[in-house]
Amino acid sequence: MTKRAWKPQPYFAQAQFQKRNTPGVLWGAFELRLLPFLTLILLFSVLQSSAYCLESAGQILKELDAHYYYPQKQGLQKLSVRMEWEQLDVITDSGRYLKNPPVDFFWEKSPTGSRSVFKLADRFFEVSEERKRELLNTLENYKEIVIPQTLEEKMDNYKGRIKVARKQKRLLEFFSRNAGADIKKYSLMVDLDPKNVRKIIIKRKDAPFEVESDIRYTRKDVKWLIAESRSKFRVGEMKYQETTEYVYRRAGKLWLVGKMSQTLKMDDRVLQSFIFRFRDYKIN
């Protein structure tokens, strides 16, 4: 049987030549040439691992918050604003938006955090108590569209960790310290350059059990504000998508939300849609 000749690669051949012609040498030229390079890789790996160890989920949240635009961090102490809102007429399927009674939103900074409340505008006090409660309960979920919580505030009752650290990407996980909390876990997919959260996955106690949101941003005064979020979730066999869009406007020296629209779909069918408009800002 004829053996096929195998031509060694240049570096390998050089190493073998060195070994054959220099008795007692334990390393070939190839290995010697690689040694400084391997040492550099090892050193970089150790330094990188040390840097990851020095990081914490809480520290990353703090750095993210420094890159987001929060009106309360820009000098806002007190705010009142008129909010006019409409919702899609889903009963008649006409495609028209029906006006709800306008409300006033009040927010004030306090030593322990902040206080906020929605109140029906004065001229709509003739609304029945039942209808009033229904409207205000609906709006309770929308307080953050005016003054958003910081990430540190939102995760205050959650224990965080860095699940994955790769180059300029981090996967942060935050687990509720309260067994009965509605949201059991947040997963944040973070870009370190530029510093923002590009995806959030929420694990809930009740249906929908998992909600996944992709986020797009706009810049105001070199800081991030959410321009759009696209969420998807399932309830049973049904798939849902929710899209929320924000438009901002100047109010004095501050950037505040001027309009927000939100649409919920099941497959391609619109189930509900809201439009919120803000005016008559009174600041500090």
Side-chain angles (χ1 to χ4, degrees), residues 71 73 75 78 107 123 126 174-175 196 204 219 228 246 278:
K73 298 286 188 181
K78 186 186 291 187
W107 178 91
R123 63 193 179 94
E126 68 271 14
F174 292 87
F175 300 87
N196 57 45
R204 293 168 39 87
R219 273 190 185 274
E228 181 185 73
Y246 300 85
F278 300 85

Side-chain angles (χ1 to χ4, degrees), residues 25-62:
V25 173
L26 298 178
W27 292 85
F30 180 56
E31 288 89 345
L32 285 172
R33 187 173 297 183
L34 275 180
L35 185 58
F37 180 64
L38 293 172
T39 304
L40 183 62
I41 290 177
L42 180 61
L43 179 61
F44 176 76
S45 299
V46 170
L47 290 174
Q48 192 176 42
S49 299
S50 300
Y52 290 162
C53 290
L54 291 173
E55 282 185 326
S56 70
Q59 179 190 348
I60 292 175
L61 285 189
K62 188 183 293 289

